[in-house]
Amino acid sequence: MKYVSLVRHLVCTAALFAIAGAGMTAQRGIGVARTPLGDGPWVFDTAEQHKVRAVIVTKGLANPWSLAFLPTGEQLVTERSGKLRIIRNGVLDPQPIAGVPPSKMQRLGGLMDVVLHPRFSDNRLVYLTYSKPGEKDLIATALGRGTWNGSALTNFQELFVVEPWWDGQGGAASRIAFGGDGMLYMTTGASVANMKDAQDPSHHKGKVLRLRDDGTVPPDNPFVGRPGHKPEIYSLGHRNQLGLAIHPQTGAVWSNENGPNGGDEINVILPGRNYGWPDVSLGRSYEGPWQGRFAKEGIEAPLVYWMPSIAVSGMAFYTGDRFPAWRGNVFVGALRFGEIAQTGHLQRVVFNERGEEMRREMLLTELRQRIRDVREGPDGLLYLLTDENPGALLRLEPTP
Amino acid sequence: MKYVSLVRHLVCTAALFAIAGAGMTAQRGIGVARTPLGDGPWVFDTAEQHKVRAVIVTKGLANPWSLAFLPTGEQLVTERSGKLRIIRNGVLDPQPIAGVPPSKMQRLGGLMDVVLHPRFSDNRLVYLTYSKPGEKDLIATALGRGTWNGSALTNFQELFVVEPWWDGQGGAASRIAFGGDGMLYMTTGASVANMKDAQDPSHHKGKVLRLRDDGTVPPDNPFVGRPGHKPEIYSLGHRNQLGLAIHPQTGAVWSNENGPNGGDEINVILPGRNYGWPDVSLGRSYEGPWQGRFAKEGIEAPLVYWMPSIAVSGMAFYTGDRFPAWRGNVFVGALRFGEIAQTGHLQRVVFNERGEEMRREMLLTELRQRIRDVREGPDGLLYLLTDENPGALLRLEPTP
């Protein structure tokens, strides 16, 4: 008799809390599957690119969240517990990088995104987002930057702190990306206790913010000077945004966010627009009723959505030449695979010339790893972080 | 190096046409994965029922479509090519059953559903739906019944023929089920060339019909006596319905249908209601644009939907006692697994006490088989048909 073991071991309820985007309930954690990653490499047949190989760069990470490629070839990786790590020539330095601000791994928060300034070669600025610890177990999402001196961050400055502080339950994620206009786009999530904050322009939460590289407000932001509106707001009505990428041709800002029980989305972010959370959603609430209406006048519809949720995470456009059949596709990390077996995969989304979705492909399902982030390397290969502990950096490459 | 082969062999374009519900384009067939079924049995760990075993009853079927359990223990199975087969004591009779009407396997049509009369023990009536061959390569969906004499159907009568005849491209599927009211519910699909037929009450296509057991119109049907309305119509606005099941407690009629590029649905069918196809849909068209609006006043929202499509097929409520954790759940066959790797699985949907969806589980994904139908046997076990050639009847049972 063959034994196909899907559930290698059940994870405890505490770990389940970190599974999806936000606001997981105990109910969601029924019989969750987790599979330890082997040593690889693995070769996968895929639909359009045919054979691709997944190679482990390192397995020594703890819940890695994001990575950035230094022009000198090293990779910077954030760990949600608060450490910034560096991989040199494929070897993970056992010492974390000094000069990183204090952060707190609370609920789904912690140390999150790491992004280089577009003129990094000149100014050596590294940007981080993180949950800043406060009083009475409150946290706030913060943005800061430090200067890379070749081995550490120096002169780290906090640039912006999201109002209000909260207990961290809900949309703790904060991605950042520099747009084609040189501005810094920063996502903030809605809390579970105050979901309506996402619709409230006097709060920063549940928004995409647009900032100058020093954290100040660009004067051409859509709500500048409007009473009752935070001037940093670029768009509103978001839940927990775990992926942010700039379209390589149009410069448009694409963000993805987790729905509750269904309704994960990719949105094209336009100035001053409302994306509907929590009133308009294509998902159900965790308790069963529909979250709200599927659509509403004045609310932007998603470009791509998922039902059931796959707990979308890091997102990247593929622009390289190592996977010719994948050029122009969007890759999205998934923290889930089906609604109950809580392990993830990588998803590929194909668009037509009008930017409309044509089809999707699930990749690396057999590995059953939660994929937290996906990035294209300067070598044209794809790099993936698994949200596990131990967690891995994987490289996807064509077979010879 | 490990080699994880997802694509064991590519199927030819001709075979791809039969993959999903309706109207497949060549584009959809990119690099399709098909895996021959091994000999089993297989044991799977699942989220709530834990270990279950899948056993092959027979692998000698060709694109089986539906099955019915005779009170004497045998199983009747339709093959889409037009044969009705019988399995006695787990052995497939090599001889097809005599007395079955001529049918034509054209596009997605052929011999389809097989259902026993609710008073079969008295009247021994077996109902079939099938694509009736006509002139100039036209077909029509037909309903008929014959009398089971223990080894063959006798006195087969055509009871009802769906208007109009067409080329078979699109919603060819026709499921039937006897409701709690003793009436026979019959699904019909919309053609690709004339999708709007689903909204046209003067056509039978793209509807759920309600008939007496002799194929005539019950006088309390919602559109009886209304000019321009076919009196058989019970609900309208459907695409291609591949699953139909009666709720074991409420007697409600549940139907599922395939969306185009996303937007598969389960609907609770109510008299005189409109389910929106092709104007209201949660999917995109194959060419990329949204099919229509997500929602509209006066159009019934689905109870469950999928994005991307899994190509939903046969559907059953589980009511038995062999899988206690699954009681009250709905099982749906899936002809796909992701948008590109075109192999299927079994999906389980869990509802709360208000009938709202709580979560889903993908089962048997490793087998990578297109699951055409799922039924609960009189023994409380689940039986699955794989839409393959050779195709199998599988039995799902708890491990000892």
Side-chain angles (χ1 to χ4, degrees), chain A residues 39 116 154 183 223 242 328 372:
Chain A
D39 293 326
L116 306 189
T154 60
M183 294 295 149
F223 298 116
L242 283 160
R372 171 62 77 188

Side-chain angles (χ1 to χ4, degrees), chain A residues 214-266:
Chain A
D214 63 357
T216 60
V217 176
D220 59 345
N221 265 9
F223 298 116
V224 165
R226 197 184 299 189
H229 288 63
K230 291 279 190 191
E232 297 86 359
I233 297 175
Y234 191 68
S235 66
L236 60 163
H238 299 286
R239 193 167 174 266
N240 195 26
Q241 299 168 86
L242 283 160
L244 185 68
I246 307 300
H247 191 289
Q249 276 82 48
T250 67
V253 179
W254 287 31
S255 164
N256 72 38
E257 65 184 72
N258 277 233
N261 193 353
D264 293 358
E265 302 178 350
I266 296 177

Side-chain angles (χ1 to χ4, degrees), chain A residues 120-239:
Chain A
F120 176 85
S121 301
D122 301 329
N123 60 28
R124 306 180 72 76
L125 290 172
V126 175
Y127 287 73
L128 300 174
T129 53
Y130 48 98
S131 301
K132 180 180 174 172
E135 292 179 354
K136 296 182 185 168
D137 285 332
L138 295 180
I139 57 173
T141 305
L143 168 75
R145 69 180 179 191
T147 303
W148 178 245
N149 73 1
S151 63
L153 288 187
T154 60
N155 189 31
F156 194 88
Q157 290 180 286
E158 179 182 288
L159 298 177
F160 181 75
V161 177
V162 170
E163 297 284 351
W165 294 66
W166 94 119
D167 65 0
Q169 187 167 1
S174 181
R175 288 274 179 197
I176 45 176
F178 282 93
D181 56 1
M183 294 295 149
L184 191 156
Y185 293 85
M186 173 177 179
T187 72
T188 67
S191 75
V192 167
N194 299 295
M195 291 191 301
K196 285 282 187 185
D197 285 355
Q199 289 293 325
D200 184 346
S202 72
H203 285 283
H204 286 133
K205 293 183 67 60
K207 310 293 187 315
V208 175
L209 309 178
R210 181 171 176 262
L211 304 170
R212 288 192 286 211
D213 68 354
D214 63 357
T216 60
V217 176
D220 59 345
N221 265 9
F223 298 116
V224 165
R226 197 184 299 189
H229 288 63
K230 291 279 190 191
E232 297 86 359
I233 297 175
Y234 191 68
S235 66
L236 60 163
H238 299 286
R239 193 167 174 266

